[in-house]
Amino acid sequence: GGAVLVNPEFETLSVRGKTVLKGDLQVDGDVALGDDITIVDTLTVGGVTSITNATAATSTTTGALRVTGGISTQDGLYTGTDASISGHRVGRGGGFVASNIAIGSGSLASNVSGSDNNAVGSQTLSSNLTGSSNCPMGFNSLNLNTASNNTAIGHNALQSNTSGSAGVAVGWQALLNNTDGSNNVAIGGRAGRYRGAGADGLTSATSSIFIGYQSRANGNSQTNQVVIAGTDGLGDGSNTTVIGNTSTTSTRIPAGNLTLSNGTLLLGTAG
């Protein structure tokens, strides 16, 4: 047995040893629990409850406070470290940097000093060490990233990116294979994932735009390439703009002028 000590002068309740209380317990003052206490019914505390046991919680059956039912709070819940809810991390991630948000298993797991990151989804930014101002949302997005100022929304978006910065990828597997290319924008499922007409991955592009499902670059290490198509638009290399794909039958400008500030207007069948 344990012991329950009540001090009416100071309105305190102290519990020593392992104690089982059957029925309801109401305390108007403070409660200090030094060892194990089991309350079968209801505990009502009007003051502060302190639990001095320092056992860490690693599962539903560990920790200093174990509750079989649900927990409700009226004034919020604060934890000194990241919380685990149904196996998913919720908090700041590695380094416990105040300006970071990590939601999902493995999110920001390796972070050391990177700041201003919002990682939402399992394995998002899991390899990040010092990269800052990144915003991934979706499983594995920016998974290998160590750089800064990237936005990835979608399953595996910018997943392989390591040192590329200021990239924007929106869509399933958008810019999936990019490793070091910077200042790129890809919008659409698998946009910017491939290069050429086959299935080779686009690993490096710079200051380029890919819009449309599987829109792709002409090749690796090209810059200032714009590709816009409903599906499978293929770029024409650095400093070029392609609108449409091989199935496009008409391109129309309904009003206004078409101005060429520098260059030649070629009419006819491309060869």
Side-chain angles (χ1 to χ4, degrees):
V4 179
L5 305 178
V6 180
N7 188 326
E9 179 181 356
F10 297 103
E11 296 183 343
T12 60
L13 170 68
S14 300
V15 177
R16 298 176 182 175
K18 185 173 183 179
T19 303
V20 178
L21 301 179
K22 296 182 179 180
D24 296 348
L25 173 64
Q26 180 171 340
V27 182
D28 292 330
D30 295 348
V31 177
L33 307 177
D35 292 288
D36 292 349
I37 179 172
T38 301
I39 299 173
V40 178
D41 292 296
T42 303
L43 170 64
T44 302
V45 180
V48 176
T49 301
S50 301
I51 300 175
T52 58
N53 187 292
T55 302
T58 57
S59 68
T60 58
T61 58
T62 59
L65 175 64
R66 305 166 201 172
V67 180
T68 302
I71 298 177
S72 62
T73 67
Q74 292 183 346
D75 296 313
L77 176 67
Y78 177 83
T79 62
T81 59
D82 287 1
S84 177
I85 300 177
S86 297
H88 293 285
R89 164 180 248 146
V90 177
R92 300 176 179 177
F96 207 60
V97 179
S99 60
N100 288 333
I101 296 175
I103 301 175
S105 176
S107 59
L108 273 171
S110 302
N111 190 69
V112 176
S113 60
S115 61
D116 302 316
N117 295 297
N118 294 328
V120 180
S122 294
Q123 306 304 319
T124 53
L125 277 176
S126 65
S127 300
N128 192 74
L129 299 174
T130 60
S132 298
S133 301
N134 295 295
C135 185
M137 180 180 295
F139 175 77
N140 247 7
S141 57
L142 282 171
N143 173 258
L144 301 179
N145 181 79
T146 58
S148 299
N149 306 317
N150 292 297
T151 300
I153 301 175
H155 185 286
N156 278 333
L158 273 170
Q159 185 266 333
S160 301
N161 190 74
T162 54
S163 59
S165 61
V168 176
V170 180
W172 166 60
Q173 295 185 355
L175 286 172
L176 168 70
N177 298 304
N178 183 79
T179 58
D180 58 4
S182 298
N183 308 317
N184 297 301
V185 175
I187 302 175
R190 289 182 169 174
R193 175 179 177 175
Y194 300 116
R195 58 183 168 90
D200 292 330
L202 175 64
T203 59
S204 181
T206 304
S207 302
S208 295
I209 298 174
F210 307 97
I211 299 177
Y213 178 72
Q214 290 190 165
S215 55
R216 59 189 67 207
N218 182 271
N220 260 331
S221 303
Q222 295 172 344
T223 186
N224 193 33
Q225 188 169 188
V226 178
V227 184
I228 302 173
T231 182
D232 292 298
L234 176 60
D236 207 27
S238 295
N239 304 311
T240 63
T241 298
V242 172
I243 300 177
N245 54 31
T246 55
S247 299
T248 300
T249 58
S250 176
T251 301
R252 180 173 176 262
I253 300 177
N257 299 321
L258 176 62
T259 302
L260 298 178
S261 59
N262 185 22
T264 302
L265 177 62
L266 301 176
L267 302 175
T269 303

